[in-house]
């Protein structure tokens, strides 16, 4: 069966390519987008993975955290972003409360893939989430896991703080990373953990790690697109770099980000914990 309506001049980047990139030590460049315009901007500048993140609750809706984002909202933004993306692998976040058990997880994830156009869904955490990761992966929904600082755990963590400092905390994260990979996750986001811990995890896992505030040795890097352009007006996290400053255009800023990640120039030591 041949696909109709696809633009054959821009073959989409499929999951096996991400796995090849890890084994060939080619960095994966990722960023968030929430609409067709930003999706197209990232896509035409060769960003490999575009995440429709539930961070939209904060950067688009102006809330203090991500907890109020619904599946319907994620669907709306995933559909919109998908219209702008031709090449990159599109990942949709599963919002808070949408993956309490495997069957509910599948119902929501299938909508994000089937109606929204995502090729993968992202779930924060391990523990009870492992059953859902396994259930989805077994049913042909590729999963991106997310560990370290998991923003949906903001109340338990007591804020948006660096995780994995100290031996016990590091060991908890090490065990969780092995568990999500064993459960069937295909990709792992590591957020705000010491660079040395992320490097060790990246070496030990068969799946690609994508870091945000996790140092230069992850298999790839991700930034919230508004941070990449310096649009934030609050306290700027240490791992953020404004690529628009000094660039001639938004396209040039994204192109600079892509080059900086691929070459290993970003993140620099000042962006790491
Ligand atoms: O929601 C989001 O944007 C994310 C990234 C920060 C990884 O989870």
């Amino acid at each position: 069966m041949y696909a109709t309506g696809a633009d054959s001049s821009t073959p989409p980047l499929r999951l096996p390519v991400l796995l090849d990139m890890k084994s060939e030590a080619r960095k994966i460049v990722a960023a968030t987008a929430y609409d067709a315009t930003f999706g197209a901007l990232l896509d035409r500048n060769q960003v490999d993975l575009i995440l429709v993140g539930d961070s939209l609750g904060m950067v688009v809706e102006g809330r203090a955290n991500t907890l109020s984002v619904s599946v319907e909202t994620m669907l709306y933004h995933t559909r919109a972003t998908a219209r702008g993306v031709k090449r990159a692998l599109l990942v949709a976040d599963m919002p808070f409360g949408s993956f309490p058990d495997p069957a509910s997880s599948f119902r929501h994830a299938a909508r994000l893939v089937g109606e929204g156009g995502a090729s993968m869904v992202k779930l924060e955490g391990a523990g009870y989430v492992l059953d859902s990761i396994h259930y989805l992966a077994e049913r042909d929904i590729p999963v991106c896991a997310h560990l370290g600082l998991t923003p949906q755990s903001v109340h338990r963590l007591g804020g948006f703080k660096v995780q994995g400092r100290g031996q016990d905390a590091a060991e908890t994260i090490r065990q969780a990373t092995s568990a999500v990979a064993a459960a069937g996750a295909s990709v792992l986001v590591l957020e705000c953990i010491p660079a040395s811990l992320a490097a060790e995890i990246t070496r030990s896992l068969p799946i690609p790690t994508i870091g945000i505030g996790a140092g230069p040795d992850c298999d790839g890097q991700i930034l919230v697109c508004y941070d990449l352009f310096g649009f934030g007006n609050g306290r700027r996290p240490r791992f953020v770099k404004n690529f628009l400053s000094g660039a001639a255009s938004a396209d040039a800023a994204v192109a600079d980000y892509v080059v900086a990640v691929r070459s290993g120039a970003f993140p620099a030591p000042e962006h790491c914990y």
Side-chain angles (χ1 to χ4, degrees):
M1 180 170 57
Y2 293 94
T4 53
D7 176 355
S8 57
S9 65
T10 317
L13 192 155
R14 306 278 188 211
L15 176 57
V17 175
L18 290 187
L19 305 179
D20 291 347
M21 288 174 84
K22 178 177 176 94
S23 64
E24 293 161 11
R26 285 188 287 138
K27 294 283 187 191
I28 298 163
V29 186
T32 69
Y34 314 102
D35 64 28
T37 299
F38 275 81
L41 170 66
L42 300 174
D43 192 67
R44 67 176 172 262
N45 286 291
Q46 306 301 308
V47 170
D48 302 309
L49 183 154
I50 296 176
L51 168 68
V52 185
D54 64 352
S55 50
L56 67 85
M58 298 171 76
V59 299
V60 176
E61 296 182 335
R63 300 187 193 268
N65 57 49
T66 61
L67 303 182
S68 60
V69 177
S70 66
V71 172
E72 290 304 328
T73 299
M74 287 309 306
L75 254 178
Y76 173 85
H77 287 277
T78 304
R79 269 195 210 108
T81 307
R83 288 185 203 112
V85 173
K86 291 181 178 159
R87 169 188 171 269
L89 189 96
L90 189 66
V91 183
D93 240 338
M94 298 276 284
F96 179 67
S98 69
F99 46 99
D101 56 70
S104 316
S105 303
F106 183 79
R107 208 170 48 251
H108 295 135
R111 292 194 69 196
L112 291 167
V113 172
E115 298 171 42
S119 300
M120 181 181 283
V121 295
K122 179 165 80 59
L123 283 74
E124 292 185 14
Y128 78 92
V129 183
L130 296 171
D131 287 344
S132 287
I133 293 175
H134 183 69
Y135 195 88
L136 297 182
E138 287 273 292
R139 285 160 183 77
D140 292 331
I141 299 188
V143 173
C144 175
H146 181 161
L147 295 169
L149 169 53
T150 46
Q152 292 175 14
S153 318
V154 60
H155 294 314
R156 177 173 57 79
L157 300 178
F160 300 115
K161 300 175 181 169
V162 180
Q163 302 296 306
R165 281 185 164 145
Q167 285 193 8
D168 290 351
E171 186 52 26
T172 303
I173 292 184
R174 268 188 214 102
Q175 288 184 10
T177 60
S178 307
V180 296
S186 300
V187 179
L188 169 61
V189 167
L190 290 172
E191 180 164 352
C192 288
I193 62 171
S196 55
L197 177 61
E200 182 196 325
I201 290 167
T202 299
R203 279 194 302 274
S204 71
L205 288 186
I207 60 172
T209 61
I210 313 253
I212 173 162
D217 296 316
C218 294
D219 297 307
Q221 299 292 328
I222 185 163
L223 279 181
V224 167
C225 61
Y226 295 172
D227 288 343
L228 202 157
F229 298 113
F231 289 166
N233 61 2
R235 190 181 65 82
R236 197 177 78 175
R238 186 186 172 97
F239 56 79
V240 166
K241 178 172 174 183
N242 175 356
F243 283 88
L244 190 56
S245 150
S249 64
D251 280 282
V254 178
D256 287 351
Y257 171 60
V258 170
V259 168
V261 172
R262 291 216 201 287
S263 69
F266 178 80
E270 68 264 27
H271 304 117
C272 302
Y273 301 101

